[in-house]
Amino acid sequence: MSALEEQIDVKTPPLPKGLEPLQDDEESSFLTRIQDNFVKLASFLASFIPMPAILHFCRAVSPRTELEIEMDPLLGRPRIVSFLLGVISLFLLVSASAFLAFISWGLLNYFGRNPFNAIAELSADDLKAAITGIVQGTIPFIYALEFLSISQLEHFPDHFRQIAWFIQKRTAILGNLLLFGLSLIPLSVFIMALPMVFPNEAVLSDTIPTYRSRIVGLFRRLMGALTALAVLVILVAVSIELVSLLKLQKSYVSPIPAKIFPQAFLDLLPTVLVEQWHYVLICVYLLDIGLLLIIGKVPLRYNIRNISVRWLTTAMTGLAFTLVVGLLILMFSFVNGLNKVSSESGIPGNVFVLSEGSIDETFSNLGYSDINQMENERAEEDRSGRPLAKSIGIKQVNVPGSSKKVKLISKETYISVNHEVAARPGFPMRHRLLPVRAIQDAWVAAKVHNMELIDGEWFDDKPQLSADGKTTLTPCVMGEAAARKFGEDVGKPIMKIGDTVKLGELNMVVVGIMKSEGTTFGSEVWTRWERATQAYNKKTFTTVVLRVEDDKPESAEIMAYHLSTNFKNPRVRAVTETQYFEDLAKGSAAIFTVILVIAAIMAIGGIFGVMNTMFATVAQRVKDIGVLRILGFKRWQLLISFMLETLSIALLGGLVGCLIGYFADGFKMDSTLSSGNGSNKSVTIRLTVDMTIIVCAILFTLIMGRLGGLVPSLSAMRMKILDSLR
């Protein structure tokens, strides 16, 4: 140290804890941990390579001691041979899986045709989609074929046992997923298929002789498979017939199979099975329970006694199902309300006309003068350019009290007005956007939109004066939801005829209340076109709605195509009104998907809850299981016994949840119809709990009960008599 340093006495501050330099042994331990973690990561990634290939690759790089070669003689081969065998086995496995995926794709999409010929006829986009589907299908087939070589796990070299461990865990996970999938099969089918696994197990008879030849065993396995298939076909066929007798209409859950399976495959199935799949499934499960009770005696009295004795555990498990099903019904009733609003707002015979490129009337601008020429348009040809037997024009009706006829075409301007809500004491001023529809002829617009009045009358062109005779009031007609909103602002349940309200620069007086519940017009205010467009500085039409002569949706589609193609000044986008509101409600499809995801998450919780309960039940009743076996009950009867107990708990909790959720029917709430492209409409939705929701909720309950009950029931079935009595 220099003299200067000694005088200053410089002291180096200590390093923060954790940043001190490593000692030699600590540094070695740190590097070892890094190396171990790297090996674990590499082993995890390598475990996803199909096992026949990775086994050869491990033999190619494994150390070659005499002991290891003695345990696995294949290690004595040259390393290059093992590596080439790994490449060849990987190629063969992928090729076989791709071929099977291609055949499966061809059967699903082109059943009864040669898939090679079918794929040659595809367009470029269809070919790209086909290749994507085949590649996606190849991966499951690779791991399915890998199960054939699962016995080779014991031949992994000692240095690569970690990879074998990962493969074993992955195989166990896939096996459990397969088991969960089997739990959705009707239990009677599952029981009939037991001889495939246990050929000495009697199902339809009390006893069965032990087989001694492989041919007899193979015959029993084959008969078990055929019997299970026959029972499944009978259950589904009877369920389809029962549901077809009900003559049900399509619902909002009917398109779900189309999102999962190819359309060509669905075309091969009965229409009732595709459109009313939820009713068919619940019929299958109910018939399945009845068939189980017919097949053989099950200790039901024992199950009922256990449920009553363990009532607290049963109640807590059932409560989980109650909460899940209740929330599910509440969410589905909201989506159902959105769908009803969109379907009831559109009239099949109406054509909705917007400016070209507009997706909603909020962004439309049709001009003013030239749009009047649309009244004279007639469609002479269909969409294919073929002449129509009778041209399609705009419907005409008689004006009440007059011989004059008017065409049902309503020219309108849709305006979103920023409305200041009167502040309550202690609360800040609030703002909300209110839809105002400016119309030229209120009576014609009412006929076009099928609107009626609960109270009051339709306005005319004459302005009104306020009570003091100084303020000019603009007459307006309100939807029910809008009248209730304005009424709440002034402390009334609903606005009455003669009440006044200020919307922006317009002072309005209510002259009528529309009967508009369940439509998008419920939250709108209709008023005179001249006054509204001048006050809100929007002097062009945004929308033209017209009714075709025969009120048929087919004619409306032809007229919409004619206007979109042939009306030039200005260019327009015309669609049927039902299609317009269906597009506007596409946001509800996204909500429906979110609800399904939430339902799946809640279902996982319910499944693990009932699984935990049933595992505890099985553990507590080990000796009871042994006694039942001694009394003569077969393994499959114990399986049915525990599954029925699980389903009883699930069904009881689900029914209570349905009852609670049903009370949500009729509640009203404000929401928005949105197409996801920036266009939206404020609507008042009435939560609707219908039979479709109840059926789906009960089906959801049964599926959760099956998924959560099968594994514990199988553990009870596999238990040996002596082990259970110890």
Side-chain angles (χ1 to χ4, degrees):
M1 182 179 294
S2 64
L4 182 60
E5 288 176 340
E6 291 177 352
Q7 293 176 6
I8 299 176
D9 192 16
V10 176
K11 293 184 178 180
T12 305
L15 291 172
K17 187 176 181 180
L19 296 181
E20 302 92 343
L22 294 174
Q23 301 300 324
D24 292 341
D25 54 344
E26 292 178 345
E27 185 175 359
S28 176
S29 176
F30 178 71
L31 294 176
T32 301
R33 288 198 300 270
I34 292 179
Q35 184 178 3
D36 290 342
N37 291 330
F38 178 78
V39 170
K40 289 180 181 179
L41 178 61
S43 300
F44 173 74
L45 296 177
S47 68
F48 286 95
I49 300 175
M51 192 170 57
I54 191 62
L55 182 57
H56 289 297
F57 291 144
C58 288
R59 284 170 175 157
V61 298
S62 176
R64 312 278 179 101
T65 63
E66 293 183 1
L67 179 61
E68 288 172 340
I69 293 176
E70 183 179 349
M71 295 178 62
D72 185 6
L74 296 180
L75 281 175
R77 295 179 306 196
R79 296 180 186 273
I80 187 63
V81 173
S82 297
F83 179 78
L84 291 177
L85 286 175
V87 173
I88 293 172
S89 60
L90 181 62
F91 174 77
L92 292 176
L93 189 62
V94 172
S95 301
S97 301
F99 180 76
L100 291 174
F102 172 70
I103 295 299
S104 301
W105 171 85
L107 290 176
L108 288 175
N109 292 276
Y110 300 97
F111 188 81
R113 293 176 55 189
N114 187 336
F116 293 96
N117 295 336
I119 202 169
E121 300 172 0
L122 295 178
S123 62
D125 293 337
D126 293 337
L127 184 61
K128 183 179 179 181
I131 293 174
T132 302
I134 293 171
V135 171
Q136 292 174 348
T138 300
I139 299 175
F141 274 111
I142 288 176
Y143 292 112
L145 293 176
E146 187 188 42
F147 277 101
L148 300 176
S149 57
I150 202 68
S151 60
Q152 298 183 28
L153 276 172
E154 60 185 19
H155 297 299
F156 262 90
D158 290 337
H159 292 80
F160 298 96
R161 287 290 177 182
Q162 203 164 46
I163 299 177
W165 183 86
F166 279 115
I167 294 176
Q168 194 171 18
K169 292 300 180 182
R170 172 164 54 81
T171 305
I173 293 173
L174 294 176
N176 288 328
L177 291 177
L178 178 62
L179 193 59
F180 279 128
L182 291 176
S183 66
L184 301 180
I185 298 175
L187 282 177
S188 55
V189 177
F190 194 85
I191 296 302
M192 291 300 176
L194 274 181
M196 295 175 59
V197 183
F198 304 108
N200 289 324
E201 186 76 22
V203 177
L204 298 178
S205 60
D206 293 333
T207 59
I208 186 172
T210 303
Y211 75 92
R212 297 186 180 278
S213 67
R214 293 179 179 270
I215 297 177
V216 175
L218 181 62
F219 177 76
R220 288 182 183 177
R221 295 177 193 273
L222 180 61
M223 289 303 298
L226 294 177
T227 305
L229 180 61
V231 172
L232 179 61
V233 171
I234 291 172
L235 286 175
V236 174
V238 173
S239 300
I240 290 174
E241 288 298 322
L242 291 176
V243 174
S244 62
L245 293 176
L246 299 176
K247 298 181 179 180
L248 301 169
Q249 300 294 324
K250 292 178 65 175
S251 64
Y252 48 89
V253 297
S254 297
I256 290 180
K259 298 179 180 179
I260 302 174
F261 303 101
Q263 188 59 44
F265 173 72
L266 296 179
D267 292 340
L268 302 173
L269 302 177
T271 305
V272 175
L273 179 59
V274 177
E275 295 182 354
Q276 307 298 336
W277 59 270
H278 45 298
Y279 282 98
V280 173
L281 276 181
I282 200 167
C283 278
V284 167
Y285 285 149
L286 293 178
L287 289 174
D288 176 46
I289 294 175
L291 186 59
L292 288 175
L293 299 177
I294 295 174
I295 288 177
K297 60 179 183 178
V298 179
L300 295 178
R301 189 176 301 174
Y302 169 74
N303 296 119
I304 296 172
R305 182 179 177 277
N306 276 286
I307 290 176
S308 60
V309 169
R310 297 174 175 84
W311 63 270
L312 183 59
T313 304
T314 302
M316 295 302 294
T317 306
L319 181 62
F321 285 94
T322 299
L323 294 176
V324 171
V325 171
L327 290 173
L328 185 69
I329 290 178
L330 184 63
M331 291 186 291
F332 268 101
S333 64
F334 175 76
V335 176
N336 198 17
L338 277 178
N339 291 332
K340 283 187 176 293
V341 167
S342 61
S343 62
E344 293 178 5
S345 296
I347 299 171
N350 278 5
V351 177
F352 212 85
V353 184
L354 305 171
S355 61
E356 186 180 30
S358 298
I359 56 175
D360 185 65
E361 52 187 337
T362 306
F363 313 113
S364 178
N365 188 352
L366 288 170
Y368 178 73
S369 57
D370 296 329
I371 205 67
N372 293 323
Q373 300 298 322
M374 193 176 295
E375 298 181 11
N376 303 319
E377 289 293 317
R378 297 190 69 86
E380 305 286 347
E381 299 176 342
D382 62 11
R383 298 176 66 94
S384 302
R386 293 172 296 191
L388 297 171
K390 182 181 178 182
S391 61
I392 301 172
I394 300 174
K395 188 174 185 177
Q396 298 186 42
V397 295
N398 291 319
V399 178
S402 171
S403 59
K404 179 184 176 183
K405 285 189 173 185
V406 295
K407 292 185 176 182
L408 292 186
I409 177 170
S410 177
K411 289 165 280 189
E412 306 164 355
T413 300
Y414 184 85
I415 310 168
S416 293
V417 179
N418 186 8
H419 173 57
E420 291 186 355
V421 182
R424 297 179 182 179
F427 291 90
M429 179 71 71
R430 295 184 294 118
H431 295 262
R432 65 171 171 235
L433 288 177
L434 283 175
V436 174
R437 190 173 295 275
I439 53 181
Q440 285 193 320
D441 192 318
W443 185 83
V444 171
K447 285 293 181 182
V448 171
H449 294 292
N450 282 358
M451 284 290 108
E452 298 178 358
L453 292 175
I454 298 175
D455 192 14
E457 60 183 7
W458 295 107
F459 52 82
D460 52 24
D461 294 336
K462 299 177 181 178
Q464 298 185 14
L465 295 177
S466 62
D468 57 9
K470 297 180 180 179
T471 306
T472 301
L473 300 177
T474 303
C476 71
V477 173
M478 292 185 174
E480 291 180 79
R484 280 193 293 268
K485 284 182 182 177
F486 283 111
E488 291 173 0
D489 295 340
V490 295
K492 295 181 179 180
I494 192 170
M495 298 290 281
K496 301 294 184 182
I497 305 302
D499 289 344
T500 59
V501 64
K502 185 173 183 180
L503 277 179
E505 301 298 325
L506 275 185
N507 293 299
M508 295 186 176
V509 58
V510 180
V511 298
I513 305 294
M514 290 186 290
K515 186 179 180 180
S516 55
E517 182 178 354
T519 69
T520 59
F521 305 114
S523 56
E524 293 184 356
V525 176
W526 290 13
T527 188
R528 291 176 52 201
W529 188 84
E530 294 83 1
R531 296 278 296 169
T533 53
Q534 182 178 1
Y536 303 128
N537 195 27
K538 194 171 184 178
K539 299 181 180 179
T540 58
F541 294 116
T542 61
T543 315
V544 174
V545 185
L546 57 91
R547 179 80 59 83
V548 294
E549 290 173 328
D550 56 4
D551 292 325
K552 294 182 179 179
E554 298 83 6
S555 300
E557 290 180 3
I558 294 174
M559 175 61 83
Y561 177 77
H562 166 75
L563 293 175
S564 298
T565 306
N566 300 323
F567 195 79
K568 305 294 185 182
N569 194 13
R571 300 285 300 183
V572 298
R573 173 181 176 263
V575 295
T576 61
E577 193 173 37
T578 53
Q579 182 63 48
Y580 171 77
F581 283 105
E582 285 176 5
D583 293 340
L584 196 62
K586 284 181 179 178
S588 63
I591 297 176
F592 184 70
T593 303
V594 171
I595 288 177
L596 290 179
V597 173
I598 295 174
I601 295 173
M602 293 190 301
I604 292 173
I607 289 168
F608 279 106
V610 71
M611 191 180 294
N612 182 57
T613 300
M614 292 310 298
F615 269 124
T617 301
V618 171
Q620 292 172 357
R621 288 189 259 171
V622 171
K623 293 185 178 180
D624 294 357
I625 294 171
V627 172
L628 289 172
R629 291 295 307 278
I630 291 176
L631 291 175
F633 288 101
K634 300 181 178 65
R635 286 184 289 188
W636 65 267
Q637 289 174 320
L638 294 180
L639 174 67
I640 295 177
S641 174
F642 281 95
M643 280 298 296
L644 288 178
E645 185 173 330
T646 306
L647 292 176
S648 300
I649 297 173
L651 193 58
L652 182 63
L655 290 176
V656 175
C658 290
L659 182 62
I660 295 174
Y662 188 76
F663 286 105
D665 185 56
F667 279 90
K668 296 177 181 178
M669 59 186 301
D670 296 331
S671 185
T672 301
L673 276 178
S674 175
S675 62
N677 296 315
S679 59
N680 56 73
K681 290 184 184 295
S682 299
V683 293
T684 298
I685 294 173
R686 180 180 181 271
L687 300 184
T688 306
V689 181
D690 55 13
M691 186 54 65
T692 298
I693 292 179
I694 298 297
V695 169
C696 288
I698 296 176
L699 181 61
F700 186 74
T701 301
L702 292 175
I703 290 176
M704 281 199 302
R706 286 172 172 273
L707 290 174
L710 182 62
V711 177
S713 301
L714 286 175
S715 67
M717 184 189 78
R718 289 196 295 259
M719 198 171 294
K720 296 180 180 180
I721 298 177
L722 294 179
D723 292 339
S724 61
L725 293 176
R726 286 175 182 171

